[in-house]
Amino acid sequence: KAGVTQTPRYLIKTRGQQVTLSCSPISGHRSVSWYQQTPGQGLQFLFEYFSETQRNKGNFPGRFSGRQFSNSRSEMNVSTLELGDSALYLCASNSGGSGGYTFGSGTRLTVV
Amino acid sequence: GQQLNQSPQSMFIQEGEDVSMNCTSSSIFNTWLWYKQEPGEGPVLLIALYKAGELTSNGRLTAQFGITRKDSFLNISASIPSDVGIYFCAGQAVSSGTYKYIFGTGTRLKVLA
């Protein structure tokens, strides 16, 4: 079955702009989590959605938001971009329980 | 954000050698996961551990869930060049019915042929 699909793969934005990233989970997976990965901070948890509801949230400012649709696809939005938001944004899905997550290849966001 | 302590941070080894890395936490976890990430890709799940003391293998990889539930270990036997990458541990704590993974800082492995 198809894996986790993230679009776009690469993105360049200007400071102050906003961006929306998309994630399509594995078919049948209802939980989608988002992570930010930077060389200095490693993998940082952003939030998790399950059945269209945000189930858990990391320690990121309100500029970072997300949502999940009825087909389990998820989007992440970052408003008022800052240079420090440059990172690899990873999406991961699982069936909603305690098992491991399957990651997508990520979206590389560069803010200039 | 909260992270697990993973060591070593990086290591260079000769092809054929065995590799050991570990992850420790001040919190108790119900699940430990080990992932490998290669350049330009997302992490790929290698091994999942669900019970204290559990020892699980995946080919040349073996991981153990520490008895205290605060640590986990990953061993790679007879390393080969394609083992190069960053290895992450992740711990999951269950509280208030939610699931959240905390990731280690990663161990960067380089194998010298």
Side-chain angles (χ1 to χ4, degrees):
Chain A
K1 53 186 176 183
V4 178
T5 303
Q6 291 188 247
T7 56
R9 283 297 305 269
Y10 302 93
L11 206 48
I12 299 176
K13 288 286 188 178
T14 305
R15 227 173 359 170
Q17 285 187 311
Q18 73 156 14
V19 67
T20 299
L21 312 182
S22 180
C23 172
S24 293
I26 288 174
S27 177
H29 282 188
R30 296 165 65 191
S31 170
V32 173
S33 293
W34 288 89
Y35 289 84
Q36 181 195 66
Q37 186 176 29
T38 58
Q41 295 296 316
L43 276 155
Q44 298 289 327
F45 174 78
L46 281 154
F47 27 65
E48 183 211 1
Y49 285 87
F50 179 79
S51 293
E52 302 179 66
T53 301
Q54 188 179 85
R55 188 161 71 169
N56 216 330
K57 190 176 187 306
N59 299 319
F60 278 80
R63 300 184 298 107
F64 292 81
S65 63
R67 59 177 175 169
Q68 187 179 34
F69 302 96
S70 58
N71 61 359
S72 293
R73 190 177 71 86
S74 178
E75 287 182 347
M76 192 193 95
N77 186 75
V78 188
S79 62
T80 321
L81 284 165
E82 300 177 359
L83 295 179
D85 295 334
S86 295
L88 179 67
Y89 289 88
L90 291 161
C91 163
S93 76
N94 86 350
S95 58
S98 61
Y101 278 75
T102 301
F103 281 87
S105 297
T107 294
R108 172 76 61 188
L109 172 65
T110 302
V111 182
V112 297
Chain B
Q2 185 180 5
Q3 285 189 321
L4 301 173
N5 295 316
Q6 189 171 346
S7 65
Q9 278 190 318
S10 64
M11 52 197 315
F12 286 82
I13 60 168
Q14 292 286 340
E15 182 178 358
E17 286 185 348
D18 295 343
V19 175
S20 291
M21 59 190 79
N22 66 43
C23 224
T24 59
S25 169
S26 56
S27 304
I28 291 174
F29 291 112
N30 290 327
T31 302
W32 283 97
L33 307 175
W34 284 92
Y35 284 88
K36 178 188 177 186
Q37 185 177 27
E38 298 185 14
E41 297 298 327
V44 173
L45 182 65
L46 298 173
I47 293 177
L49 302 161
Y50 300 105
K51 285 190 290 192
E54 181 180 351
L55 186 73
T56 298
S57 293
N58 178 5
R60 293 177 296 105
L61 278 61
T62 301
Q64 184 162 24
F65 194 139
I67 291 291
T68 65
R69 296 171 65 190
K70 294 183 177 181
D71 56 10
S72 182
F73 308 87
L74 176 70
N75 295 312
I76 305 173
S77 63
S79 58
I80 58 178
S82 62
D83 289 334
V84 165
I86 304 175
Y87 291 80
F88 291 99
C89 62
Q92 184 190 54
V94 178
S95 60
S96 302
T98 62
Y99 298 91
K100 177 180 172 181
Y101 278 103
I102 299 167
F103 276 78
T105 47
T107 293
R108 187 179 298 271
L109 179 64
K110 297 192 178 182
V111 180
L112 307 174

